[in-house]
């Protein structure tokens, strides 16, 4: 998750700030093609990290797919 934030910042999709919240980053992505997937990833991250929620294998693959979709979209976007 943190590597995704770093990549989004490097590619100028968000502006990382030490005290920004995940909601701040969602707002920065508003209207972008990443907004929905990033919001879903944030929600899952918060449930697992703060809520001690345990994902099963199918949930993991679903979230992993969203993560990979954003990565594959962000990386080529820098080369356009």
């Amino acid at each position: 998750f943190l590597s995704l934030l770093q990549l989004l910042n490097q590619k100028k999709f968000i502006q990382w700030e030490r005290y920004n919240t995940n909601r701040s980053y969602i707002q920065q992505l508003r209207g972008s093609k990443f907004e929905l997937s990033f919001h879903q990833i944030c929600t899952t991250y918060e449930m697992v990290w703060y809520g001690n929620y345990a994902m099963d294998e199918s949930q993991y693959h679903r979230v992993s797919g969203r993560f990979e979709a954003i990565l594959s979209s962000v990386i080529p976007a820098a080369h356009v």
Side-chain angles (χ1 to χ4, degrees):
F1 182 77
L2 296 177
S3 64
L4 178 59
L5 287 177
Q6 182 181 29
L7 181 63
L8 289 169
N9 181 64
Q10 288 173 349
K11 303 301 181 186
K12 309 292 187 209
F13 291 103
I14 63 168
Q15 183 175 356
W16 183 85
E17 297 288 337
R18 179 179 176 99
Y19 297 105
N20 274 357
T21 64
N22 292 338
R23 300 293 172 244
S24 299
Y25 299 122
I26 291 168
Q27 288 176 344
Q28 289 181 42
L29 290 170
R30 188 156 307 211
S32 78
K33 62 184 174 182
F34 310 118
E35 180 183 6
L36 179 60
S37 291
F38 186 77
H39 187 278
Q40 292 167 334
I41 290 169
C42 283
T43 300
T44 303
Y45 173 79
E46 290 171 355
M47 287 172 43
V48 171
W49 186 257
Y50 300 112
N52 295 318
Y53 176 79
M55 287 192 289
D56 63 26
E57 187 174 347
S58 67
Q59 291 167 321
Y60 172 81
H61 288 295
R62 191 169 42 251
V63 170
S64 178
R66 290 180 185 132
F67 190 87
E68 292 298 323
I70 289 177
L71 289 179
S72 66
S73 295
V74 170
I75 293 171
H79 301 293
V80 173

